[in-house]
Amino acid sequence: MPERLTPRESAILLALARYKYLTVSQIITLGIATHKPNVTRSMKRLLDASRPLVERNTFWFHPQKGRLEDIYFLTKQGASMLLEYGDLEENEVLVPKG
């Protein structure tokens, strides 16, 4: 887990808890960040921790649509951290099953 979460990283985790799956462009649309490099830098920290708080599904090139965006979601560690340190109830945190 990162030593300390930035306000942007905390906002990303809360948004993932609410919406379950998000892409970088959706995070920007939510107003959490204004530029893609800011979001990807935050996501890299959340993904590269020894116990990652976020995971992603990567899609390959689509012949008609080009490269599709990665989809990010909370891990069990991320969800438990939000429940422990946040003001969220268990039914408010959406985590994919399986």
Side-chain angles (χ1 to χ4, degrees):
M1 177 164 72
E3 315 80 50
R4 203 174 251 183
L5 295 177
T6 65
R8 181 180 298 126
E9 292 165 351
S10 298
I12 289 170
L13 291 177
L14 289 171
L16 287 170
R18 180 175 182 191
Y19 295 107
K20 195 180 215 177
Y21 298 103
L22 289 172
T23 64
V24 170
S25 61
Q26 290 171 327
I27 291 170
I28 292 170
T29 301
L30 288 172
I32 295 171
T34 54
H35 294 75
K36 186 176 178 177
N38 295 338
V39 178
T40 55
R41 191 175 318 117
S42 296
M43 285 299 195
K44 182 170 174 34
R45 282 198 57 202
L46 295 171
L47 285 164
D48 289 345
S50 60
R51 295 182 65 182
L53 303 176
V54 171
E55 282 292 328
R56 71 177 161 207
N57 282 339
T58 302
F59 300 98
W60 299 102
F61 186 81
H62 188 277
Q64 295 163 338
K65 297 183 181 189
R67 188 179 182 299
L68 302 175
E69 285 190 77
D70 294 346
I71 295 179
Y72 296 90
F73 55 92
L74 283 177
T75 62
K76 290 180 183 176
Q77 291 85 9
S80 64
M81 191 197 78
L82 281 174
L83 291 172
E84 185 176 342
Y85 297 112
D87 294 330
L88 298 175
E89 298 295 323
E90 192 169 341
N91 62 347
E92 295 177 304
V93 178
L94 299 175
V95 179
K97 293 178 175 71

